[in-house]
Amino acid sequence: MDKKRIIVTGGAGYIGSHTCVELINAGYTPIIIDNFFNSERFIVDRIEQITGLRPDLIEVDCTDYSGLMTLLKGYKGIEGIIHFAAYKAVGESTQKPVDYYYNNIASTTALLKLMNILGFNNFVFSSSCTVYGQPDELPVTENSPIKTAESPYGRTKQMCEDVMKDYQKANQDQKVVSLRYFNPIGAHSSSLIGELPRGVPNNLVPYITQTAAGLRDHLTVFGDDYDTPDGTCIRDYIHVVDLAKAHVAAIEYLIRQKNGIYNVFNLGTGRGNSVLEVIRTFEEVAGLKLNYKIGPRRSGDIVKVYADVAKANKDLEWETELDLKDALRDAWSWERSLKEN
Ligand code: UDP
């Protein structure tokens, strides 16, 4: 009963499930809130398999304020909320903008309302480097300008950050952080949890692993005529386990704060890798040749982005421990484990 409980919305999802594992490793008890809209129930079993602890599961939609209230008001000893649950497909958000605005903003506002009423504190929000758009200077620091979002998805992240800033201003005892993720990739080293893209993946690494596994014929590299050393776009790929550990560090950072605060942190490795570098590294760790072709540019792609992570390193007392090779090796093991099951 004296366990430190952390609510993890979207706790059965990709980053959420890895964060539950790291919370448990650090002595916390996650309470997963998930509606399994874009995640699978068996992931909760897998978290238990990895850690030996089964998180509580509350099945409710985070936009359902009264449902959340009913289910959470009995809980004691809540130390914080990590809010992952959100729609996240950039392309889909341009087709269904209102769904994205409604889901992502209603869930965040419902949770903030409830925090205040139930007397919870320490709110960690999943934001994204998409808020920086095409940056003018690299690496991107937390003070780099916020650019007009390229998609409704990106705009929901910007809007939620504004909502949290206003919330914290009006509720000075509250402690809130936004974590701006760069490109999370990889999987848990046990291959028991990992990314589960629905349908054709949009992101590079799941597309690579599915191509290598024979589920896709070939990977298309979206443009090799950019102004970069090899002509392909550059991103900051961070291992999902390092990212998960940053959430534990963020909760502990908030718990340490004596006064209310709103703060923002970049979470990346601080290094940029091109699409071709990712392909070459994958080929090396997987020991195979990937079938890929150079295709046209994808509209809206950022040419080059990577993080300055000095602020997270210092304030969160957190650093990445894994590199691109580790992440691609783990992503490949995960893909192969899916084929076996
Ligand atoms: N990319 C690619 N082929 C794919 C998917 C992605 O060449 O099938 C490239 C994409 O153009 C970008 C990088 O890989 O330069 C990362 O794309 P992803 O969608 O994973 O992340 P984001 O663009 O959102 O940072």
Side-chain angles (χ1 to χ4, degrees), residues 46-117:
R46 298 286 181 87
I47 295 170
E48 183 180 11
Q49 226 175 309
I50 296 169
T51 63
L53 191 142
R54 189 170 187 83
D56 281 7
L57 172 64
I58 298 179
E59 246 184 280
V60 63
D61 191 310
C62 287
T63 63
D64 177 2
Y65 173 73
S66 52
L68 280 171
M69 195 57 154
T70 309
L71 291 162
L72 287 176
K73 67 177 174 219
Y75 271 96
K76 295 273 175 291
I78 303 289
E79 290 264 348
I81 300 184
I82 307 180
H83 177 39
F84 292 104
Y87 291 169
K88 61 175 187 181
V90 176
E92 185 186 59
S93 79
T94 61
Q95 312 296 318
K96 299 179 178 173
V98 175
D99 290 11
Y100 272 68
Y101 289 122
Y102 180 72
N103 186 68
N104 291 3
I105 292 156
S107 59
T108 305
T109 49
L111 287 163
L112 292 175
K113 243 165 95 91
L114 176 144
M115 290 251 297
N116 232 355
I117 293 171

Side-chain angles (χ1 to χ4, degrees), residues 294-315:
I294 307 296
R297 292 180 175 194
R298 176 172 73 177
S299 88
D301 252 339
I302 304 300
V303 180
K304 222 193 286 187
V305 63
Y306 53 91
D308 183 323
V309 286
K311 187 178 172 194
N313 289 164
K314 181 168 173 284
D315 292 1

Side-chain angles (χ1 to χ4, degrees), residues 204-275:
L204 178 64
V205 172
Y207 209 106
I208 288 177
T209 58
Q210 289 197 4
T211 305
L215 299 172
R216 312 272 156 218
D217 175 66
H218 68 275
L219 169 80
T220 304
V221 174
F222 298 141
D224 71 346
D225 56 352
Y226 286 102
D227 182 19
T228 61
D230 66 21
T232 64
C233 293
I234 291 174
R235 297 285 183 279
D236 184 336
Y237 296 95
I238 175 169
H239 196 300
V240 66
V241 171
D242 278 331
L243 189 62
K245 288 179 180 170
H247 290 75
V248 180
I251 280 287
E252 294 186 335
Y253 163 84
L254 289 178
I255 291 171
R256 279 200 298 279
Q257 302 305 306
K258 294 203 174 59
N259 301 311
I261 191 167
Y262 174 72
N263 214 342
V264 180
F265 295 99
N266 284 344
L267 296 181
T269 65
R271 285 181 300 278
N273 286 105
S274 73
V275 177

Side-chain angles (χ1 to χ4, degrees), residues 1 20 28 69 93 125 135 158 161 208 287 340:
M1 281 298 109
C20 287
Y28 294 91
M69 195 57 154
S93 79
F125 177 71
Q158 295 180 341
E161 287 198 2
I208 288 177
E340 284 156 19

